[in-house]
Amino acid sequence: NEAELITRYRDMSIQPEIDMAIRHIVNEAIVVEENQSSMSLVLDNLDYSEDVKDAIRQEYDNVMNLLNFNNEGQDIFRRWYIDGRLFYHILIDNKNPREG
């Protein structure tokens, strides 16, 4: 089942050779540079107005900030790469849903 597979993958990732290979993959996938975002959103081929594209960019930036992706991006990618999935629990204040 899936839980056993994830446990198996995690056990394998502890092995030094596999850990080094995973580190190389993560370092190639997520490049960290000072004063630059690790990832960007390209909406050039999206057939929507600039207002919609701006709203998408703002929400993308919001999610990236919530994830602290510039600092935690490599760890997030590593967890996803080993487990094959990531789960996040989203809590919303019913009294003020726009603020989360």
Side-chain angles (χ1 to χ4, degrees), residues 55-97:
I56 292 171
R57 283 186 193 101
Q58 286 177 356
E59 204 51 43
Y60 172 81
D61 290 339
N62 184 34
V63 169
M64 294 297 277
N65 287 332
L66 289 171
L67 291 173
N68 192 17
F69 198 84
N70 285 340
N71 296 322
E72 304 291 330
Q74 289 186 327
D75 294 331
I76 292 169
F77 184 84
R78 180 183 173 86
R79 284 195 325 258
W80 169 81
Y81 189 79
I82 293 170
D83 293 352
R85 65 194 73 222
L86 287 178
F87 296 101
Y88 288 95
H89 189 89
I90 299 173
L91 299 175
I92 298 175
D93 182 359
N94 289 331
K95 295 177 185 171
N96 194 355

Side-chain angles (χ1 to χ4, degrees), residues 12-67:
M12 288 173 45
S13 72
I14 295 172
Q15 301 300 319
E17 296 86 5
I18 295 175
D19 180 54
M20 185 177 295
I22 292 171
R23 276 194 228 161
H24 286 297
I25 292 167
V26 170
N27 287 336
E28 289 294 320
I30 306 294
V31 178
V32 179
E33 294 182 18
E34 285 189 42
N35 301 324
Q36 284 189 321
S37 180
S38 299
M39 294 176 41
S40 63
L41 187 63
V42 178
L43 302 174
D44 296 342
N45 295 330
L46 193 62
D47 294 330
Y48 288 100
S49 69
E50 284 302 314
D51 291 339
V52 172
K53 289 180 182 181
D54 287 339
I56 292 171
R57 283 186 193 101
Q58 286 177 356
E59 204 51 43
Y60 172 81
D61 290 339
N62 184 34
V63 169
M64 294 297 277
N65 287 332
L66 289 171
L67 291 173

